[in-house]
Amino acid sequence: YYTMKRLCLRLNLSSRSYLSGPRQFSTDVPRFEIAKAVHLLSCPSMSKRIKLIDVRSPLEFAKGHIPGAITLPLMDDHARKEVGTTYKKKGRFAAIQVGLSHVGPKLPKLIQCIKEEHKFEPNDDNQLLIYCSRGGMRSESIGWLLSLCGYKSAVLNKGYKSFRGHVVSSLD
């Protein structure tokens, strides 16, 4: 509770809204399948209200991304490599700790960037569709945080990997 209260204060949220706000708080972030995302993005009236957010590292984004996505990397390339190495050598919990040490200080700026640079406001009708490589911890954690802040967010199931698979299968 204390850590969440501190995070709310850093994000300019009241801990009261976190605990008893108008939205029912849930740790479950909705998930989109790639076919639904492609359909929504191809509809002109809907595509204006959807923002794709790629939270992978800059190198991952440079190698390929979903067209129209904005990049908000949680970690730089070095930090991502460090987390991966820690995961292989010491396990999941140790990797999470290393990841949090890199990501934690950046969270208020990420929220500010979505609001100020990309003009998305909490509690509006826009949908933020977040993805990482496989739809795992990076996208899920940011989806949870954005939901906590009042944004409508969802995670692309299986991440960029599902998009690549969708493109390849559509070429067959």
Side-chain angles (χ1 to χ4, degrees):
Y1 171 79
Y2 178 72
T3 302
M4 189 54 60
K5 187 173 182 177
R6 278 194 350 210
L7 179 60
C8 289
L9 291 172
R10 287 193 71 191
L11 295 173
N12 294 323
L13 301 171
S14 70
S15 57
R16 180 181 167 100
S17 67
Y18 160 69
L19 297 172
S20 61
R23 285 180 78 164
Q24 187 69 8
F25 177 73
S26 171
T27 57
D28 295 330
V29 178
R31 291 191 162 266
F32 270 67
E33 294 298 326
I34 189 63
K36 184 175 181 181
V38 169
H39 171 73
L40 290 173
L41 291 167
S42 65
C43 178
S45 63
M46 289 300 294
S47 65
K48 292 178 186 174
R49 295 183 25 223
I50 296 173
K51 183 66 80 175
L52 283 167
I53 300 175
D54 186 324
V55 295
R56 299 175 304 148
S57 71
L59 183 60
E60 290 174 294
F61 186 82
K63 285 182 177 179
H65 57 275
I66 299 174
I70 60 169
T71 180
L72 289 175
L74 290 183
M75 293 180 260
D76 61 26
D77 299 318
H78 173 75
R80 180 180 162 267
K81 183 177 180 181
E82 182 182 355
V83 169
T85 302
T86 303
Y87 183 86
K88 286 181 181 177
K89 290 183 177 180
K90 297 181 181 176
R92 185 173 191 250
F93 184 77
I96 289 171
Q97 297 293 80
V98 171
L100 284 173
S101 71
H102 290 288
V103 174
K106 294 174 73 174
L107 293 177
K109 282 187 176 185
L110 287 171
I111 300 300
Q112 183 180 9
C113 179
I114 289 170
K115 185 174 180 178
E116 294 177 5
E117 290 182 35
H118 300 290
K119 309 296 185 216
F120 275 76
E121 293 288 332
N123 300 314
D124 63 12
D125 286 335
N126 295 313
Q127 177 76 42
L128 303 178
L129 180 55
I130 303 139
Y131 71 93
C132 61
S133 286
R134 295 178 306 272
M137 192 159 301
R138 289 181 286 178
S139 57
E140 189 76 30
S141 61
I142 289 301
W144 169 82
L145 179 63
L146 290 169
S147 180
L148 174 67
C149 293
Y151 290 93
K152 292 178 186 169
S153 64
V155 173
L156 179 59
N157 200 31
K158 299 181 183 171
Y160 182 71
K161 185 176 180 179
S162 70
F163 173 75
R164 274 194 346 246
H166 179 78
V167 169
V168 169
S169 69
S170 68
L171 295 175
D172 289 341

PDB file of all heavy atoms in Angstrom, residues 38-69:
ATOM      1  N   VAL A  38      -6.210  -4.996 -35.973  1.00  0.00           N
ATOM      2  CA  VAL A  38      -6.097  -4.634 -37.394  1.00  0.00           C
ATOM      3  C   VAL A  38      -7.431  -4.104 -37.900  1.00  0.00           C
ATOM      4  O   VAL A  38      -7.478  -3.099 -38.616  1.00  0.00           O
ATOM      5  CB  VAL A  38      -5.607  -5.842 -38.233  1.00  0.00           C
ATOM      6  CG1 VAL A  38      -5.750  -5.578 -39.716  1.00  0.00           C
ATOM      7  CG2 VAL A  38      -4.164  -6.167 -37.879  1.00  0.00           C
ATOM      8  N   HIS A  39      -8.519  -4.745 -37.522  1.00  0.00           N
ATOM      9  CA  HIS A  39      -9.852  -4.298 -37.933  1.00  0.00           C
ATOM     10  C   HIS A  39     -10.142  -2.886 -37.420  1.00  0.00           C
ATOM     11  O   HIS A  39     -10.579  -2.020 -38.187  1.00  0.00           O
ATOM     12  CB  HIS A  39     -10.928  -5.268 -37.438  1.00  0.00           C
ATOM     13  CG  HIS A  39     -12.317  -4.778 -37.643  1.00  0.00           C
ATOM     14  ND1 HIS A  39     -12.903  -4.738 -38.898  1.00  0.00           N
ATOM     15  CD2 HIS A  39     -13.233  -4.282 -36.772  1.00  0.00           C
ATOM     16  CE1 HIS A  39     -14.127  -4.231 -38.780  1.00  0.00           C
ATOM     17  NE2 HIS A  39     -14.342  -3.956 -37.510  1.00  0.00           N
ATOM     18  N   LEU A  40      -9.885  -2.635 -36.148  1.00  0.00           N
ATOM     19  CA  LEU A  40     -10.151  -1.317 -35.576  1.00  0.00           C
ATOM     20  C   LEU A  40      -9.274  -0.237 -36.208  1.00  0.00           C
ATOM     21  O   LEU A  40      -9.728   0.872 -36.473  1.00  0.00           O
ATOM     22  CB  LEU A  40      -9.940  -1.338 -34.063  1.00  0.00           C
ATOM     23  CG  LEU A  40     -10.960  -2.117 -33.255  1.00  0.00           C
ATOM     24  CD1 LEU A  40     -10.534  -2.195 -31.787  1.00  0.00           C
ATOM     25  CD2 LEU A  40     -12.346  -1.501 -33.368  1.00  0.00           C
ATOM     26  N   LEU A  41      -8.015  -0.582 -36.457  1.00  0.00           N
ATOM     27  CA  LEU A  41      -7.104   0.398 -37.042  1.00  0.00           C
ATOM     28  C   LEU A  41      -7.412   0.684 -38.507  1.00  0.00           C
ATOM     29  O   LEU A  41      -7.057   1.741 -39.020  1.00  0.00           O
ATOM     30  CB  LEU A  41      -5.656  -0.076 -36.895  1.00  0.00           C
ATOM     31  CG  LEU A  41      -5.139  -0.072 -35.458  1.00  0.00           C
ATOM     32  CD1 LEU A  41      -3.838  -0.835 -35.359  1.00  0.00           C
ATOM     33  CD2 LEU A  41      -4.985   1.348 -34.938  1.00  0.00           C
ATOM     34  N   SER A  42      -8.097  -0.232 -39.183  1.00  0.00           N
ATOM     35  CA  SER A  42      -8.441  -0.008 -40.589  1.00  0.00           C
ATOM     36  C   SER A  42      -9.734   0.790 -40.740  1.00  0.00           C
ATOM     37  O   SER A  42     -10.042   1.261 -41.827  1.00  0.00           O
ATOM     38  CB  SER A  42      -8.560  -1.338 -41.331  1.00  0.00           C
ATOM     39  OG  SER A  42      -9.646  -2.089 -40.812  1.00  0.00           O
ATOM     40  N   CYS A  43     -10.467   0.961 -39.661  1.00  0.00           N
ATOM     41  CA  CYS A  43     -11.707   1.742 -39.685  1.00  0.00           C
ATOM     42  C   CYS A  43     -11.364   3.203 -39.381  1.00  0.00           C
ATOM     43  O   CYS A  43     -10.914   3.519 -38.287  1.00  0.00           O
ATOM     44  CB  CYS A  43     -12.669   1.183 -38.645  1.00  0.00           C
ATOM     45  SG  CYS A  43     -14.216   2.082 -38.521  1.00  0.00           S
ATOM     46  N   PRO A  44     -11.561   4.129 -40.356  1.00  0.00           N
ATOM     47  CA  PRO A  44     -11.131   5.523 -40.164  1.00  0.00           C
ATOM     48  C   PRO A  44     -11.683   6.195 -38.907  1.00  0.00           C
ATOM     49  O   PRO A  44     -10.965   6.910 -38.226  1.00  0.00           O
ATOM     50  CB  PRO A  44     -11.633   6.233 -41.427  1.00  0.00           C
ATOM     51  CG  PRO A  44     -11.761   5.155 -42.442  1.00  0.00           C
ATOM     52  CD  PRO A  44     -12.133   3.916 -41.681  1.00  0.00           C
ATOM     53  N   SER A  45     -12.945   5.952 -38.585  1.00  0.00           N
ATOM     54  CA  SER A  45     -13.521   6.612 -37.411  1.00  0.00           C
ATOM     55  C   SER A  45     -12.926   6.079 -36.111  1.00  0.00           C
ATOM     56  O   SER A  45     -12.811   6.802 -35.126  1.00  0.00           O
ATOM     57  CB  SER A  45     -15.035   6.455 -37.387  1.00  0.00           C
ATOM     58  OG  SER A  45     -15.378   5.082 -37.283  1.00  0.00           O
ATOM     59  N   MET A  46     -12.511   4.831 -36.104  1.00  0.00           N
ATOM     60  CA  MET A  46     -11.931   4.239 -34.906  1.00  0.00           C
ATOM     61  C   MET A  46     -10.435   4.504 -34.798  1.00  0.00           C
ATOM     62  O   MET A  46      -9.918   4.703 -33.704  1.00  0.00           O
ATOM     63  CB  MET A  46     -12.171   2.722 -34.883  1.00  0.00           C
ATOM     64  CG  MET A  46     -13.604   2.317 -34.642  1.00  0.00           C
ATOM     65  SD  MET A  46     -14.255   2.909 -33.068  1.00  0.00           S
ATOM     66  CE  MET A  46     -13.265   1.981 -31.925  1.00  0.00           C
ATOM     67  N   SER A  47      -9.740   4.501 -35.925  1.00  0.00           N
ATOM     68  CA  SER A  47      -8.279   4.620 -35.884  1.00  0.00           C
ATOM     69  C   SER A  47      -7.826   5.948 -35.276  1.00  0.00           C
ATOM     70  O   SER A  47      -6.737   6.025 -34.721  1.00  0.00           O
ATOM     71  CB  SER A  47      -7.675   4.425 -37.268  1.00  0.00           C
ATOM     72  OG  SER A  47      -8.081   5.450 -38.133  1.00  0.00           O
ATOM     73  N   LYS A  48      -8.650   6.982 -35.351  1.00  0.00           N
ATOM     74  CA  LYS A  48      -8.290   8.269 -34.751  1.00  0.00           C
ATOM     75  C   LYS A  48      -8.315   8.207 -33.235  1.00  0.00           C
ATOM     76  O   LYS A  48      -7.687   9.018 -32.571  1.00  0.00           O
ATOM     77  CB  LYS A  48      -9.249   9.358 -35.230  1.00  0.00           C
ATOM     78  CG  LYS A  48      -9.097   9.684 -36.693  1.00  0.00           C
ATOM     79  CD  LYS A  48     -10.089  10.721 -37.123  1.00  0.00           C
ATOM     80  CE  LYS A  48     -10.003  10.927 -38.628  1.00  0.00           C
ATOM     81  NZ  LYS A  48     -11.034  11.826 -39.112  1.00  0.00           N
ATOM     82  N   ARG A  49      -9.055   7.270 -32.684  1.00  0.00           N
ATOM     83  CA  ARG A  49      -9.206   7.169 -31.236  1.00  0.00           C
ATOM     84  C   ARG A  49      -8.311   6.094 -30.623  1.00  0.00           C
ATOM     85  O   ARG A  49      -8.363   5.863 -29.427  1.00  0.00           O
ATOM     86  CB  ARG A  49     -10.664   6.873 -30.893  1.00  0.00           C
ATOM     87  CG  ARG A  49     -11.581   8.018 -31.269  1.00  0.00           C
ATOM     88  CD  ARG A  49     -13.027   7.820 -30.887  1.00  0.00           C
ATOM     89  NE  ARG A  49     -13.229   6.916 -29.784  1.00  0.00           N
ATOM     90  CZ  ARG A  49     -14.178   5.993 -29.759  1.00  0.00           C
ATOM     91  NH1 ARG A  49     -14.993   5.845 -30.762  1.00  0.00           N
ATOM     92  NH2 ARG A  49     -14.317   5.211 -28.713  1.00  0.00           N
ATOM     93  N   ILE A  50      -7.515   5.427 -31.443  1.00  0.00           N
ATOM     94  CA  ILE A  50      -6.640   4.373 -30.949  1.00  0.00           C
ATOM     95  C   ILE A  50      -5.193   4.810 -31.130  1.00  0.00           C
ATOM     96  O   ILE A  50      -4.800   5.282 -32.190  1.00  0.00           O
ATOM     97  CB  ILE A  50      -6.887   3.054 -31.703  1.00  0.00           C
ATOM     98  CG1 ILE A  50      -8.307   2.552 -31.446  1.00  0.00           C
ATOM     99  CG2 ILE A  50      -5.863   1.995 -31.297  1.00  0.00           C
ATOM    100  CD1 ILE A  50      -8.689   1.359 -32.273  1.00  0.00           C
ATOM    101  N   LYS A  51      -4.418   4.634 -30.094  1.00  0.00           N
ATOM    102  CA  LYS A  51      -2.991   4.933 -30.175  1.00  0.00           C
ATOM    103  C   LYS A  51      -2.233   3.663 -29.836  1.00  0.00           C
ATOM    104  O   LYS A  51      -2.423   3.069 -28.785  1.00  0.00           O
ATOM    105  CB  LYS A  51      -2.625   6.043 -29.190  1.00  0.00           C
ATOM    106  CG  LYS A  51      -1.189   6.481 -29.234  1.00  0.00           C
ATOM    107  CD  LYS A  51      -0.792   7.147 -30.526  1.00  0.00           C
ATOM    108  CE  LYS A  51      -1.224   8.588 -30.563  1.00  0.00           C
ATOM    109  NZ  LYS A  51      -0.780   9.314 -31.728  1.00  0.00           N
ATOM    110  N   LEU A  52      -1.403   3.215 -30.774  1.00  0.00           N
ATOM    111  CA  LEU A  52      -0.544   2.056 -30.549  1.00  0.00           C
ATOM    112  C   LEU A  52       0.718   2.514 -29.835  1.00  0.00           C
ATOM    113  O   LEU A  52       1.378   3.455 -30.289  1.00  0.00           O
ATOM    114  CB  LEU A  52      -0.150   1.422 -31.877  1.00  0.00           C
ATOM    115  CG  LEU A  52      -1.187   0.573 -32.566  1.00  0.00           C
ATOM    116  CD1 LEU A  52      -0.753   0.293 -33.998  1.00  0.00           C
ATOM    117  CD2 LEU A  52      -1.392  -0.714 -31.817  1.00  0.00           C
ATOM    118  N   ILE A  53       1.039   1.865 -28.756  1.00  0.00           N
ATOM    119  CA  ILE A  53       2.223   2.219 -27.985  1.00  0.00           C
ATOM    120  C   ILE A  53       3.145   1.008 -27.897  1.00  0.00           C
ATOM    121  O   ILE A  53       2.774  -0.024 -27.352  1.00  0.00           O
ATOM    122  CB  ILE A  53       1.848   2.709 -26.576  1.00  0.00           C
ATOM    123  CG1 ILE A  53       0.949   3.951 -26.684  1.00  0.00           C
ATOM    124  CG2 ILE A  53       3.095   3.000 -25.755  1.00  0.00           C
ATOM    125  CD1 ILE A  53       0.419   4.442 -25.365  1.00  0.00           C
ATOM    126  N   ASP A  54       4.346   1.169 -28.435  1.00  0.00           N
ATOM    127  CA  ASP A  54       5.364   0.126 -28.422  1.00  0.00           C
ATOM    128  C   ASP A  54       6.310   0.417 -27.262  1.00  0.00           C
ATOM    129  O   ASP A  54       6.978   1.445 -27.250  1.00  0.00           O
ATOM    130  CB  ASP A  54       6.113   0.158 -29.764  1.00  0.00           C
ATOM    131  CG  ASP A  54       7.108  -0.959 -29.934  1.00  0.00           C
ATOM    132  OD1 ASP A  54       7.756  -1.356 -28.942  1.00  0.00           O
ATOM    133  OD2 ASP A  54       7.259  -1.425 -31.075  1.00  0.00           O
ATOM    134  N   VAL A  55       6.354  -0.478 -26.278  1.00  0.00           N
ATOM    135  CA  VAL A  55       7.192  -0.252 -25.101  1.00  0.00           C
ATOM    136  C   VAL A  55       8.505  -1.042 -25.148  1.00  0.00           C
ATOM    137  O   VAL A  55       9.217  -1.121 -24.158  1.00  0.00           O
ATOM    138  CB  VAL A  55       6.416  -0.558 -23.790  1.00  0.00           C
ATOM    139  CG1 VAL A  55       5.269   0.414 -23.606  1.00  0.00           C
ATOM    140  CG2 VAL A  55       5.944  -1.997 -23.730  1.00  0.00           C
ATOM    141  N   ARG A  56       8.836  -1.587 -26.316  1.00  0.00           N
ATOM    142  CA  ARG A  56      10.091  -2.318 -26.470  1.00  0.00           C
ATOM    143  C   ARG A  56      11.269  -1.347 -26.528  1.00  0.00           C
ATOM    144  O   ARG A  56      11.092  -0.145 -26.653  1.00  0.00           O
ATOM    145  CB  ARG A  56      10.040  -3.170 -27.746  1.00  0.00           C
ATOM    146  CG  ARG A  56       8.925  -4.212 -27.721  1.00  0.00           C
ATOM    147  CD  ARG A  56       8.805  -4.958 -29.034  1.00  0.00           C
ATOM    148  NE  ARG A  56       8.613  -4.031 -30.137  1.00  0.00           N
ATOM    149  CZ  ARG A  56       9.057  -4.229 -31.371  1.00  0.00           C
ATOM    150  NH1 ARG A  56       9.707  -5.327 -31.675  1.00  0.00           N
ATOM    151  NH2 ARG A  56       8.835  -3.335 -32.315  1.00  0.00           N
ATOM    152  N   SER A  57      12.459  -1.886 -26.482  1.00  0.00           N
ATOM    153  CA  SER A  57      13.670  -1.066 -26.511  1.00  0.00           C
ATOM    154  C   SER A  57      13.832  -0.409 -27.887  1.00  0.00           C
ATOM    155  O   SER A  57      13.233  -0.851 -28.873  1.00  0.00           O
ATOM    156  CB  SER A  57      14.898  -1.929 -26.199  1.00  0.00           C
ATOM    157  OG  SER A  57      15.169  -2.806 -27.277  1.00  0.00           O
ATOM    158  N   PRO A  58      14.649   0.637 -27.971  1.00  0.00           N
ATOM    159  CA  PRO A  58      14.853   1.313 -29.261  1.00  0.00           C
ATOM    160  C   PRO A  58      15.347   0.379 -30.370  1.00  0.00           C
ATOM    161  O   PRO A  58      14.899   0.493 -31.518  1.00  0.00           O
ATOM    162  CB  PRO A  58      15.906   2.381 -28.937  1.00  0.00           C
ATOM    163  CG  PRO A  58      15.685   2.682 -27.492  1.00  0.00           C
ATOM    164  CD  PRO A  58      15.311   1.355 -26.869  1.00  0.00           C
ATOM    165  N   LEU A  59      16.243  -0.541 -30.056  1.00  0.00           N
ATOM    166  CA  LEU A  59      16.742  -1.474 -31.065  1.00  0.00           C
ATOM    167  C   LEU A  59      15.626  -2.390 -31.563  1.00  0.00           C
ATOM    168  O   LEU A  59      15.507  -2.628 -32.766  1.00  0.00           O
ATOM    169  CB  LEU A  59      17.902  -2.304 -30.506  1.00  0.00           C
ATOM    170  CG  LEU A  59      18.569  -3.270 -31.479  1.00  0.00           C
ATOM    171  CD1 LEU A  59      19.161  -2.517 -32.675  1.00  0.00           C
ATOM    172  CD2 LEU A  59      19.665  -4.055 -30.762  1.00  0.00           C
ATOM    173  N   GLU A  60      14.789  -2.886 -30.658  1.00  0.00           N
ATOM    174  CA  GLU A  60      13.671  -3.736 -31.062  1.00  0.00           C
ATOM    175  C   GLU A  60      12.721  -2.965 -31.981  1.00  0.00           C
ATOM    176  O   GLU A  60      12.262  -3.486 -32.987  1.00  0.00           O
ATOM    177  CB  GLU A  60      12.882  -4.219 -29.834  1.00  0.00           C
ATOM    178  CG  GLU A  60      13.606  -5.222 -28.966  1.00  0.00           C
ATOM    179  CD  GLU A  60      12.829  -5.523 -27.706  1.00  0.00           C
ATOM    180  OE1 GLU A  60      12.678  -4.602 -26.866  1.00  0.00           O
ATOM    181  OE2 GLU A  60      12.377  -6.663 -27.554  1.00  0.00           O
ATOM    182  N   PHE A  61      12.434  -1.716 -31.628  1.00  0.00           N
ATOM    183  CA  PHE A  61      11.547  -0.878 -32.432  1.00  0.00           C
ATOM    184  C   PHE A  61      12.149  -0.640 -33.810  1.00  0.00           C
ATOM    185  O   PHE A  61      11.449  -0.705 -34.822  1.00  0.00           O
ATOM    186  CB  PHE A  61      11.273   0.451 -31.724  1.00  0.00           C
ATOM    187  CG  PHE A  61      10.264   1.328 -32.408  1.00  0.00           C
ATOM    188  CD1 PHE A  61       8.905   1.119 -32.216  1.00  0.00           C
ATOM    189  CD2 PHE A  61      10.666   2.369 -33.230  1.00  0.00           C
ATOM    190  CE1 PHE A  61       7.961   1.929 -32.844  1.00  0.00           C
ATOM    191  CE2 PHE A  61       9.736   3.179 -33.857  1.00  0.00           C
ATOM    192  CZ  PHE A  61       8.379   2.962 -33.661  1.00  0.00           C
ATOM    193  N   ALA A  62      13.457  -0.352 -33.856  1.00  0.00           N
ATOM    194  CA  ALA A  62      14.130  -0.087 -35.128  1.00  0.00           C
ATOM    195  C   ALA A  62      14.108  -1.307 -36.053  1.00  0.00           C
ATOM    196  O   ALA A  62      14.028  -1.163 -37.273  1.00  0.00           O
ATOM    197  CB  ALA A  62      15.569   0.364 -34.883  1.00  0.00           C
ATOM    198  N   LYS A  63      14.153  -2.502 -35.485  1.00  0.00           N
ATOM    199  CA  LYS A  63      14.132  -3.727 -36.298  1.00  0.00           C
ATOM    200  C   LYS A  63      12.760  -3.972 -36.924  1.00  0.00           C
ATOM    201  O   LYS A  63      12.656  -4.669 -37.918  1.00  0.00           O
ATOM    202  CB  LYS A  63      14.524  -4.936 -35.447  1.00  0.00           C
ATOM    203  CG  LYS A  63      16.002  -5.005 -35.147  1.00  0.00           C
ATOM    204  CD  LYS A  63      16.329  -6.263 -34.351  1.00  0.00           C
ATOM    205  CE  LYS A  63      17.811  -6.377 -34.103  1.00  0.00           C
ATOM    206  NZ  LYS A  63      18.121  -7.582 -33.299  1.00  0.00           N
ATOM    207  N   GLY A  64      11.721  -3.404 -36.344  1.00  0.00           N
ATOM    208  CA  GLY A  64      10.380  -3.562 -36.887  1.00  0.00           C
ATOM    209  C   GLY A  64       9.341  -3.195 -35.855  1.00  0.00           C
ATOM    210  O   GLY A  64       9.539  -3.403 -34.657  1.00  0.00           O
ATOM    211  N   HIS A  65       8.257  -2.596 -36.326  1.00  0.00           N
ATOM    212  CA  HIS A  65       7.163  -2.218 -35.440  1.00  0.00           C
ATOM    213  C   HIS A  65       5.863  -2.151 -36.240  1.00  0.00           C
ATOM    214  O   HIS A  65       5.880  -2.168 -37.470  1.00  0.00           O
ATOM    215  CB  HIS A  65       7.444  -0.875 -34.754  1.00  0.00           C
ATOM    216  CG  HIS A  65       7.704   0.245 -35.703  1.00  0.00           C
ATOM    217  ND1 HIS A  65       8.954   0.489 -36.224  1.00  0.00           N
ATOM    218  CD2 HIS A  65       6.880   1.160 -36.259  1.00  0.00           C
ATOM    219  CE1 HIS A  65       8.878   1.526 -37.049  1.00  0.00           C
ATOM    220  NE2 HIS A  65       7.623   1.946 -37.093  1.00  0.00           N
ATOM    221  N   ILE A  66       4.759  -2.082 -35.530  1.00  0.00           N
ATOM    222  CA  ILE A  66       3.465  -1.971 -36.186  1.00  0.00           C
ATOM    223  C   ILE A  66       3.351  -0.556 -36.752  1.00  0.00           C
ATOM    224  O   ILE A  66       3.615   0.419 -36.034  1.00  0.00           O
ATOM    225  CB  ILE A  66       2.320  -2.268 -35.191  1.00  0.00           C
ATOM    226  CG1 ILE A  66       2.452  -3.697 -34.659  1.00  0.00           C
ATOM    227  CG2 ILE A  66       0.961  -2.067 -35.861  1.00  0.00           C
ATOM    228  CD1 ILE A  66       1.453  -4.053 -33.562  1.00  0.00           C
ATOM    229  N   PRO A  67       2.979  -0.412 -38.021  1.00  0.00           N
ATOM    230  CA  PRO A  67       2.864   0.927 -38.615  1.00  0.00           C
ATOM    231  C   PRO A  67       1.939   1.828 -37.791  1.00  0.00           C
ATOM    232  O   PRO A  67       0.869   1.419 -37.365  1.00  0.00           O
ATOM    233  CB  PRO A  67       2.267   0.647 -40.000  1.00  0.00           C
ATOM    234  CG  PRO A  67       2.681  -0.756 -40.308  1.00  0.00           C
ATOM    235  CD  PRO A  67       2.667  -1.478 -38.991  1.00  0.00           C
ATOM    236  N   GLY A  68       2.410   3.045 -37.560  1.00  0.00           N
ATOM    237  CA  GLY A  68       1.624   4.023 -36.805  1.00  0.00           C
ATOM    238  C   GLY A  68       1.890   4.006 -35.315  1.00  0.00           C
ATOM    239  O   GLY A  68       1.398   4.864 -34.583  1.00  0.00           O
ATOM    240  N   ALA A  69       2.662   3.041 -34.850  1.00  0.00           N
ATOM    241  CA  ALA A  69       2.943   2.952 -33.410  1.00  0.00           C
ATOM    242  C   ALA A  69       3.924   4.035 -32.993  1.00  0.00           C
ATOM    243  O   ALA A  69       4.805   4.419 -33.752  1.00  0.00           O
ATOM    244  CB  ALA A  69       3.501   1.579 -33.062  1.00  0.00           C
TER     245      ALA A  69
END
